[in-house]
Amino acid sequence: MAPKKRLCLPSLLLPLLTLLLSQADTRSFVVDRGHDRFLLDGVPFRYISGSLHYFRVPRVLWADRLFKMRMSGLNAVQFYVPWNYHEPEPGVYNFNGSRDLIAFLNEATIANLLVILRPGPYICAEWDMGGLPAWLLRKPNIHLRTSDPDFLAAVDSWFKVLLPKIYPWLYHNGGNIISIQVENEYGSYRACDVSYMRHLAGLFRALLGDRILLFTTDGPEGLKCGSLEGLYTTVDFGPADNMTKIFALQRKYEPHGPLVNSEYYTGWLDYWGHKHSTRSIPAVTKRLKDMLELGASVNMYMFHGGTNFGYWNGADEKGHFLPITTSYDYDAPISEAGDPTPKLFALRNVISQFQEIPLGPLPPPSPKMMLGPLTLHMDGKLLDFLYFLCPQGPIRSILPMTFEAVKQDRGFMLYRTYLTQTVFEPTQFWVPNNGVHDRAYVMVDGVFQGVLERNMKQKLFLTGKVGAKLDILLENMGRLSFGSNHSDFKGLLEPPILGQTVLTQWLIFPLKVDKLVKWWFLLQMQRSSRPQTPSGPTFYSTTFPILDSGGDTFLFLHGWTKGQVWINGFNLGRYWTKRGPQQTLYVPRPLLFTRGALNQITLLELENVPPHPQIQFLDSPILNSTLHETNIYSLSADTQSASEPMELSGH
């Protein structure tokens, strides 16, 4: 009997590798101009996509949100990459934890969602400085989003790190990225620098190759400056806009190929001091159906909004400065807490008329928790912790310096000087040329005097003896993020004036508030034993157990004015109860310790504390209560009052 022939392992692997390579080679996503459509692997295809921002959702919740999007009938997810989130200092990169872009791409793969990637470099997204790093402004004369050599050098350096990371995830390489946007709504920017757009397109091609579909997105007014030959032109618009007219404009730039709305607005953003924005379900569903009947590909912005945790919110300027709320709920089909809404089920019903919906029900809303009221205890005034907040000591300067000049990107900075003469009568204190960016909390010898705010008609009158200590705590409320945003420097941009005297000789303290909160025992050591009801920037805290398994919840700060809040050291974001509309802060369940473990909450109240310093956790959000009317300088002829609805084109 002849011996059995041994199988050769390499001979078995070779056909398998050949098969896999041939399959990868057949993967393609292209424009079929002859039939006005996309082709995916040679088959007619259109995407029905939704926007979700991984940087607004804790990593542990990514899979849940993506699964709900897939179960809603979507076949793609669209998201930005915020440069400033990943390169906090020049040449220092962070792709860990909730910044792990590759992990998010993998979660999208598991959810069976294709990816439409928007890496910028500018993204808007109502994100601080539109995703551009604040350290760019350390060169004060830099021209952002242009072919300024300083800007291009920083962009090139960043993309030479980012784009090779995503290269293996391109669809034709076996990944899930079917298309990539170059820049973002560039036509809404004042520069209209064609050389800059050509440079970006060349950079993308050099690093990603010729097979990936590159595109641009603009509102109808921005197509002229935002589009570029060689990049597929898409548009964005909402339910109330003229679909026929706007798609006709797209056809001027793309006579053949698919119609694409890259940002179809399911809701809208919120500003402090304005009403909570909503879009009606019938309007959103009707226009979606209209577009799908035309065969258009559509991305819904947002499908799940999430939260501007920490200091990451952006701002707009339309005659006056409009910082964006901590909540980015956006009236989206999936709520800020990740729950399906009636809008989602209505959209799912429309989608089901055009493509197959995955079998199975959508997950129900997550468990919610109520707790409290809880009494907070005063830890001490911010000025009491100045050494711990700025252990390296102050920077000395004749004139005040900006945040950017001292490398303080976000948060707070304290400016201190001493009166050189006695001021007996109440004397006006002001900063010329709208030089407060963005809010100044003024104290004399530790006593809170009031607030000066960017673009606001506030008058502040001070008295003090010679040698009195004048402290100004400056809060950065978020850099401009949309459209014609100039370089938005923060801090005192001009030297303050008391009466007729220009104040000089400043001590400048860049504050590391988040680090102090993590050193909570220092707050406890400083805690005052005597009852006080102070005003001005003051820390409050308490601990509390959750005896059961807990749930998502919403922190309600009734009676508090304005400040920042941390739970278990995590910066939950800004609250501004007095101004609204947002009255609660979303607290995801994973941030909380359960089964009897102690949770710690810390508040930095910047102005006034309620008579009973208490908080509550509710089982539903309050996002629509505007309590305060603002008084705004008339800086331009088209300035709108704070109570009027504001329409901005795109993101």
Side-chain angles (χ1 to χ4, degrees):
M1 184 177 178
K4 289 184 179 179
K5 188 176 180 181
R6 294 182 62 189
L7 293 174
C8 177
L9 188 59
S11 68
L12 289 175
L13 289 176
L14 187 59
L16 179 60
L17 288 171
T18 303
L19 177 63
L20 290 173
L21 286 171
S22 65
Q23 286 179 343
D25 207 40
T26 61
R27 288 170 64 93
S28 63
F29 180 75
V30 297
V31 173
D32 177 4
R33 295 183 185 274
H35 298 88
D36 295 336
R37 64 191 180 186
F38 290 121
L39 296 177
L40 184 72
D41 300 336
V43 177
F45 176 81
R46 66 113 157 261
Y47 60 75
I48 303 176
S49 169
S51 288
L52 178 153
H53 299 154
Y54 64 94
F55 42 92
R56 286 188 162 110
V57 179
R59 176 172 176 165
V60 69
L61 299 174
W62 288 349
D64 171 78
R65 305 313 194 243
L66 290 166
F67 176 71
K68 288 169 180 170
M69 291 174 73
R70 182 68 188 104
M71 295 302 292
S72 302
L74 306 185
N75 55 17
V77 58
Q78 184 201 82
F79 62 91
Y80 290 118
V81 179
W83 179 5
N84 54 10
Y85 197 58
H86 294 285
E87 191 177 2
E89 290 289 330
V92 177
Y93 303 101
N94 187 346
F95 288 93
N96 301 315
S98 288
R99 291 171 168 82
D100 192 337
L101 171 63
I102 303 306
F104 187 75
L105 285 168
N106 189 57
E107 291 288 1
T109 299
I110 294 170
N112 196 25
L113 288 167
L114 298 169
V115 168
I116 301 157
L117 191 68
R118 310 175 82 182
Y122 164 84
I123 64 169
C124 184
E126 285 75 62
W127 191 252
D128 183 58
M129 203 165 151
L132 300 178
W135 49 257
L136 291 168
L137 301 183
R138 294 174 193 172
K139 294 184 176 180
N141 296 320
I142 195 168
H143 294 284
L144 304 174
R145 303 175 71 194
T146 70
S147 45
D148 178 338
D150 285 335
F151 184 66
L152 288 186
V155 169
D156 289 356
S157 177
W158 161 237
F159 276 140
K160 286 174 183 176
V161 171
L162 175 66
L163 297 186
K165 284 182 177 292
I166 66 171
Y167 180 78
W169 290 84
L170 302 183
Y171 186 76
H172 59 266
N173 291 334
N176 54 358
I177 301 173
I178 56 172
S179 60
I180 295 179
Q181 180 179 298
V182 177
E183 241 277 353
N184 183 64
E185 293 186 325
Y186 191 64
S188 297
Y189 193 53
R190 67 180 186 277
C192 198
D193 186 340
V194 177
S195 297
Y196 164 64
M197 286 294 288
R198 286 177 179 152
H199 177 91
L200 287 183
L203 182 64
F204 277 60
R205 285 293 177 215
L207 294 171
L208 297 177
D210 294 329
R211 293 184 62 185
I212 185 68
L213 176 65
L214 300 180
F215 70 98
T216 60
T217 301
D218 284 281
E221 304 85 4
L223 288 168
K224 181 179 179 181
C225 284
S227 60
L228 186 72
E229 187 176 356
L231 308 178
Y232 195 78
T233 300
T234 75
V235 294
D236 53 38
F237 58 87
D241 295 313
N242 188 322
M243 176 186 72
T244 304
K245 181 179 178 181
I246 295 173
F247 274 147
L249 283 171
Q250 185 197 354
R251 278 281 173 250
K252 286 181 62 177
Y253 295 86
E254 296 292 353
H256 303 288
L259 298 171
V260 180
N261 186 343
S262 287
E263 288 188 6
Y264 176 58
Y265 304 117
T266 63
W268 202 247
L269 57 138
D270 285 344
Y271 303 110
W272 292 114
H274 285 230
K275 295 178 180 178
H276 175 54
S277 297
T278 60
R279 292 288 185 269
S280 76
I281 293 173
V284 174
T285 53
K286 180 183 184 303
R287 187 46 49 88
L288 177 65
K289 186 175 182 180
D290 292 342
M291 288 187 288
L292 296 182
E293 285 176 342
L294 288 177
S297 284
V298 179
N299 174 73
M300 286 172 270
Y301 190 105
M302 298 292 296
F303 208 81
H304 171 54
T307 308
N308 294 313
F309 294 116
Y311 310 109
W312 285 112
N313 68 278
D316 286 321
E317 188 162 27
K318 289 285 181 176
H320 56 277
F321 182 67
L322 294 167
I324 288 151
T325 58
T326 300
S327 171
Y328 200 64
D329 175 83
Y330 212 86
D331 194 35
I334 298 176
S335 74
E336 184 178 10
D339 295 331
T341 67
K343 185 176 286 184
L344 183 148
F345 290 105
L347 289 168
R348 189 176 188 235
N349 181 56
V350 171
I351 294 168
S352 71
Q353 299 169 38
F354 295 89
Q355 64 188 35
E356 191 174 336
I357 301 287
L359 294 174
L362 275 158
S366 63
K368 302 297 190 296
M369 178 187 75
M370 295 182 70
L371 187 67
L374 305 173
T375 299
L376 272 64
H377 308 284
M378 176 182 164
D379 293 312
K381 295 187 176 183
L382 177 138
L383 296 178
D384 298 335
F385 298 97
L386 204 50
Y387 173 78
F388 298 108
L389 289 164
C390 186
Q392 74 275 20
I395 299 162
R396 296 177 181 271
S397 177
I398 295 173
L399 298 177
M401 301 169 71
T402 64
F403 277 54
E404 295 74 22
V406 301
K407 301 184 177 181
Q408 175 84 351
D409 287 343
R410 283 170 286 281
F412 301 89
M413 201 151 78
L414 186 81
Y415 296 80
R416 171 174 287 176
T417 191
Y418 297 88
L419 299 187
T420 56
Q421 58 189 29
T422 298
V423 180
F424 292 103
E425 298 294 327
T427 301
Q428 186 169 2
F429 174 76
W430 59 294
V431 181
N433 299 321
N434 196 29
V436 172
H437 282 201
D438 300 306
R439 280 176 68 84
Y441 305 89
V442 181
M443 294 155 278
V444 175
D445 284 336
V447 178
F448 182 55
Q449 305 294 313
V451 178
L452 294 178
E453 185 174 347
R454 183 172 176 170
N455 299 148
M456 291 295 180
K457 292 179 177 178
Q458 293 149 317
K459 291 188 177 181
L460 202 56
F461 294 86
L462 305 181
T463 61
K465 296 180 179 178
V466 62
K469 181 172 60 181
L470 173 64
D471 286 314
I472 308 170
L473 179 69
L474 251 293
E475 180 185 12
N476 169 356
M477 282 291 295
R479 289 183 180 82
L480 297 175
S481 53
F482 174 72
S484 299
N485 52 303
H486 49 77
S487 297
D488 189 15
F489 296 96
K490 298 300 185 182
L492 289 176
L493 275 57
E494 298 275 350
I497 297 174
L498 184 58
Q500 301 298 317
T501 303
V502 177
L503 301 179
T504 59
Q505 304 299 331
W506 292 91
L507 301 175
I508 303 168
F509 298 82
L511 305 183
K512 307 299 181 187
V513 183
D514 291 70
K515 286 187 176 180
L516 178 68
V517 171
K518 289 178 181 177
W519 302 336
W520 186 53
F521 68 93
L522 296 174
L523 295 174
Q524 296 300 293
M525 289 168 56
Q526 194 72 28
R527 177 172 285 179
S528 174
S529 59
R530 60 184 184 277
Q532 298 183 48
T533 307
S535 58
T538 307
F539 286 103
Y540 280 78
S541 67
T542 194
T543 58
F544 59 94
I546 297 172
L547 300 179
D548 55 17
S549 58
D552 287 347
T553 189
F554 303 90
L555 175 62
F556 185 38
L557 295 154
H558 180 67
W560 297 77
T561 306
K562 186 184 190 305
Q564 205 83 17
V565 59
W566 294 259
I567 289 186
N568 295 325
F570 180 85
N571 192 330
L572 209 59
R574 310 175 195 274
Y575 65 89
W576 204 345
T577 311
K578 185 176 180 181
R579 187 161 291 183
Q582 181 179 354
Q583 299 292 311
T584 56
L585 293 174
Y586 170 54
V587 183
R589 177 181 176 183
L591 292 182
L592 299 168
F593 304 134
T594 58
R595 307 296 181 188
L598 283 180
N599 294 271
Q600 174 237 325
I601 184 166
T602 303
L603 265 68
L604 172 58
E605 169 57 55
L606 295 167
E607 297 184 42
N608 295 299
V609 179
H612 303 288
Q614 293 183 325
I615 59 168
Q616 281 184 281
F617 292 96
L618 307 180
D619 59 2
S620 59
I622 305 173
L623 297 176
N624 59 350
S625 179
T626 299
L627 304 180
H628 182 71
E629 291 296 324
T630 53
N631 298 308
I632 298 162
Y633 284 125
S634 294
L635 298 179
S636 65
D638 62 350
T639 298
Q640 294 175 278
S641 76
S643 60
E644 291 175 340
M646 179 73 63
E647 289 295 333
L648 299 178
S649 172
H651 297 78

